[in-house]
Amino acid sequence: MRARFYRFDQATSPYLYILPFFVLFGIFGLYPLGYTAWVSLHDWSLLSDEHPFVGLKNYGELLADPYFWNALRNTISIMLLSTVPQLIFAILLANMLNRKIRLQTLFRLGMLLPNVTSVVAVAVIFSQLFGRDFGLINWILETLGLGRIDWQAGTASSHIAIAVMIIWRWTGYNTLIFLAAMQAVPKDLYEAATLDGATPMQQLRRITLPMIRPTLIFTVIISTIYGMQIFAEPQVFAGSNAGALSGGNARQFQTLTLYLVENGFSKGFEFGYASAVAWVMFLIIIVFALINFVLVRRVRSAS
Amino acid sequence: MRTLSRRAGLAAVLALSLLGVVACSKDSDTGSSDEKITLNVGLFGDFGFQPLYEEFKKTHPNVEIKERIADFGAHHQNLAAHLATNSGAADIEAVELAYISQFTSQPGKFHNLLDQGAGSMESQWLPWKWQQGLSTDKKSLIGLGTDVGGMAMCYRTDLFAKAGLPTERDKVSALWPTWQEYVNVGKTYQSKAGKGAYFFEASGNMFRAMVEQGQTGVYDNSDKIIVGENPDVKKAWDLTVDAIKAGESAKLAAWTPEWTAAFGKGTFATIVCPAWMTAYIEGNAKDAAGKWDVATVPGGSGNMGGSHLVLPKQGKHPKEAYELIKFLTSSESQAAVFKKTGNFPSLPKLYDDPSITGFSKAYFNNAPIGKIFSDAAKAVQPQHMGPKTGDVMTAIGQGLGRIEQGQQQPDAAWTQVLSDVAKLQ
Amino acid sequence: MKSLGKVGHLILLGVLLLSIFPIYFSFVVASQDNSALGKVPPPVLPGANILDNIQRVFDTVPFGQALINSLLVSAAVSVSVVLFSTLAGFAFAKLRFRGRTAALVLVVATMTVPPQLGIIPLYLLMIKFEWTDSLVAVIFPALVNAFGVFFMTQFLREALPTELLEAGRVDGCGNHRLFWHVVLPAARPAAAVLGMLTFLGTWNDFIWPLLVLQSPEQQTAQVALSTLRSGYVQDYSLALTGTLLATVPLLVVFGLLGKQLIGGIMHGAVKG
């Protein structure tokens, strides 16, 4: 009896253990994913009780909407402006932290501090710093004789402001990840290179970067996915007027997620259309992740 | 044993935290009139209701009242979302004129006040104010009017003096019988006032004032958007653009911290002043007492804004909520609110009440604001508001904002406005 | 490995200051009254109004309730994620069963799906369950996540000696008892890190709570904070006081457990 129970237990318990995950994940993760595709094929407004099937009409309208393309451009621009400097800073900082340093723990803690601060808090603080009339940054610029910038009004300036928020929050986190990867690189490689007279910069390029390539790929892809979904920073930065979801008067910093929420949760509650936006966004993210994957691999083979 | 207790602890924590959450998210109040109930009141800005709540509680000791305040845009957007999802709305919500038609077109989402016997009070209100609270099919009344926004023009006497303009209110009124002349005065002001001084705060307010003075605005009477067809709208746009080009606008977006701070710093010299705006001026610039004064608005009379109090169907206590809004919109309450905050009554019997007509405020240089706003309210010719007036105004305001911020030329901005509002139809 | 020179240390010090400054500055503004806003030059030292401003935050929005809500949500989600991830991680790392590899691949694959993709149907689901505007709507969809399972699988595969499990089996322990008596204790270091990461992530989550929680009594701290920023009272000192109040609990956790957190992130990175 006991033995039979034991065998039964051995056979079923693994499934029992993964069951909670797959049940919950199925309901709240997978099911919504598929259902988004179904909703996107309907004229599905939350305000009406009829949801007629319309085929690919939402996708057609989406691709014909200049505001969608505008949001896509803004998203890519903000993503590049934030991801590229962020990763470069993180690599350089990790390279410094990877030496023998004083106050090691303090520096590491300092690196992670911005990441513990919430996105909303960061956006509130930086919106104040980047304020047109009373912002600290404009005060500094004016004192230096450079003149004030209406950060929110310009396309480039608003993208920079938002990118700064992202860079500030994520650089330290990526630094720690790179640092961990660098510490796994065998030390004798550097010693040999030093004997050959390689400068620290050469060592970074020739040894460190190729050696931490898997981490690099991982980080680039994660940062890209995160960058494609930016929402809180521009939403808070836009302030509070009725058009806040449009990301400025000229939609100069409306990201794809803002565009999704604008269509789905304000004007008309067009869930069908917003679902189409979600799917297109997902495809774009996949494309970008693949491009990055290929690019980062080639960086290595070139060196 | 140790591991066992840890296991039990872990399960208990999970269970407790889940249970606790579920318990707190349940609404527990239904039942008799003796039971304590809470009425939530969702407002944008300070309606001056606080002392009135205290009075109401004297006759309704079982009622607790909580205010939720958001800003103008967020408030109406959230209300639309709460109605769409049937959750989250307060028991009583304020709705401003630009948004009222959006909600009267979905009467099923609100308690019908006629069922509570509100019909007998119709004669107390300005007829058009009452009408605005009726559903599109006229079968139900969704809101009772609080205030109306008869317009005036507030100005800073000290800044006018510095720019060599008259400061006495009749002379100031005489400067601008029309909006064109107002813009011209602005040009004079810009040439004399120094750098960093502006004639008005934001172009959106000025535009909205001009449009709402017309016979028809952005909608015709059959609820069709006529931004492109109505010559008055384009005229108002062109004149506003003219003023922007002359550098008269401080380019502040209303209800932002910068806008708020600018009142106190005297960044701008004039602001279109429906009665309710006086509350914002006083609240935003407490130190500027005596420097503001009130003249007549260019272009004749007109109504800008004003609100209704509505009862979303989600509310669990329609009887008490109705009693509260009836009390808040009674003539005694409206008169008290006016004297405290400036929101002007929508009950015409008060317009000849000496305690109103004789009312003046030291903050506004003792301007007889009771008389000014009574006259303004009496002269108002109501304009039909369509279901998405608020969104249309937002789209136009963003167009003006693009010109102010130098992102677009006026023609391109107008073209984009037309295509934006076409999508709203 | 050479040690870092003076210039390098100075740069790191500069970065440290950049990390701290925005938080410090938010404290500076939070401790002023709003009229200090337009001052030239802007204030760089704290003022005396911090308590007044905190009082005003609590008067303006039910911030105390929001902090409690955030705490409840984050705690419930963290406990659940740790528990279910450890369970699944145990199965994936140490038990043999049909379909294991396929299931694990599925878990890893879903890690790349952005959560935004599901918000529309999730919202419809919440309406159907009548969960909108209640904290369960924020808790349930977050009860498990693929990262947690992956993280725990990786950790248990290495840190849990198979011999230990076999010894237990010889003594007649079934998998259930093994889980509670052997696996959970062994998973404690990773559980602490995963719990902390989940807590931070849940505490800081914004878009979903913003959409699904409406009335002020149900909002989490992040949503209340954004309401404060776009509220009627247009006041930077108020908004930044709220920012501080929503951040201080995290800073306390960070101060106490920051070193483990760093260890966890770096460890996870090597494995990931």
Side-chain angles (χ1 to χ4, degrees), chain A:
Chain A
M1 180 66 206
R2 199 186 153 91
R4 254 172 67 196
F5 175 76
Y6 182 77
R7 265 206 306 279
F8 177 75
D9 174 60
Q10 287 303 305
T12 55
S13 61
Y15 297 106
L16 208 60
Y17 298 162
I18 62 171
L19 192 68
F21 171 79
F22 279 100
V23 167
L24 286 167
F25 190 75
I27 299 174
F28 299 109
L30 285 180
Y31 160 77
L33 211 64
Y35 202 53
T36 308
W38 177 245
V39 174
S40 77
L41 301 176
H42 294 76
D43 184 0
W44 194 308
S45 166
L46 203 54
L47 302 181
S48 89
D49 297 325
E50 303 279 304
H51 307 136
F53 184 84
V54 294
L56 295 174
K57 182 168 158 274
N58 285 324
Y59 292 89
E61 274 177 24
L62 175 64
L63 298 179
D65 184 5
Y67 293 162
F68 164 73
W69 295 103
N70 171 65
L72 179 60
R73 267 196 308 277
N74 289 337
T75 307
I76 294 175
S77 158
I78 292 170
M79 184 194 74
L80 290 176
L81 280 171
S82 58
T83 310
V84 174
Q86 182 195 133
L87 294 181
I88 293 176
F89 291 150
I91 289 172
L92 293 177
L93 285 170
N95 198 42
M96 291 170 84
L97 286 174
N98 197 24
R99 313 270 196 92
K100 279 194 198 112
I101 55 166
R102 289 167 207 224
L103 302 174
Q104 193 195 52
T105 310
L106 179 71
F107 284 133
R108 285 184 183 183
L109 282 172
M111 289 289 155
L112 199 59
L113 182 66
N115 195 248
V116 174
T117 317
S118 79
V119 198
V120 180
V122 172
V124 171
I125 296 171
F126 278 82
S127 297
Q128 205 281 334
L129 292 174
F130 280 111
R132 182 187 75 179
D133 294 342
F134 312 115
L136 186 69
I137 293 172
N138 265 353
W139 177 77
I140 294 171
L141 289 178
E142 195 169 50
T143 312
L144 297 174
L146 295 170
R148 290 173 171 274
I149 294 174
D150 190 347
W151 291 96
Q152 237 198 53
T155 305
S157 59
S158 60
H159 290 193
I160 290 171
I162 292 166
V164 166
M165 301 178 198
I166 302 168
I167 292 171
W168 184 76
R169 196 163 121 83
W170 284 101
T171 301
Y173 180 85
N174 287 322
T175 302
L176 291 178
I177 288 189
F178 286 139
L179 176 60
M182 287 178 186
Q183 286 181 343
V185 177
K187 301 281 178 283
D188 47 354
L189 284 178
Y190 295 106
E191 279 154 25
T194 311
L195 285 179
D196 289 347
T199 65
M201 239 7 204
Q202 284 171 327
Q203 291 183 20
L204 178 66
R205 270 184 48 208
R206 299 267 163 79
I207 304 172
T208 313
L209 289 186
M211 291 297 291
I212 64 166
R213 195 182 57 123
T215 308
L216 212 53
I217 294 175
F218 173 80
T219 315
V220 168
I221 289 175
I222 294 293
S223 306
T224 312
I225 294 176
Y226 180 84
M228 292 300 290
Q229 301 181 61
I230 292 299
F231 174 74
E233 293 90 344
Q235 199 260 3
V236 174
F237 190 49
S240 63
N241 44 54
L245 290 172
S246 62
N249 287 324
R251 297 171 179 272
Q252 65 270 27
F253 54 93
Q254 185 181 42
T255 58
L256 282 174
T257 308
L258 275 177
Y259 179 79
L260 188 161
V261 174
E262 184 192 23
N263 283 288
F265 291 88
S266 78
K267 294 177 188 154
F269 296 87
E270 298 292 348
F271 272 28
Y273 190 78
S275 298
V277 180
W279 261 101
V280 171
M281 242 178 99
F282 182 47
L283 295 179
I284 294 170
I285 288 174
I286 290 178
V287 168
F288 266 89
L290 285 177
I291 292 175
N292 279 328
F293 184 71
V294 172
L295 276 182
V296 180
R297 271 169 63 129
R298 285 185 61 186
V299 163
R300 196 254 181 156
S301 46
S303 72

Side-chain angles (χ1 to χ4, degrees), chain B residues 9 17 36 48 62 68 83 115 162 177 209 229-230 253 282 290 298 324 358 362 382 391:
Chain B
S17 48
K36 274 268 173 208
N62 62 321
R68 301 171 179 175
L83 293 177
D115 295 345
K162 248 199 266 173
E229 290 81 20
N230 185 352
E282 215 179 326
L324 179 55
D391 292 337

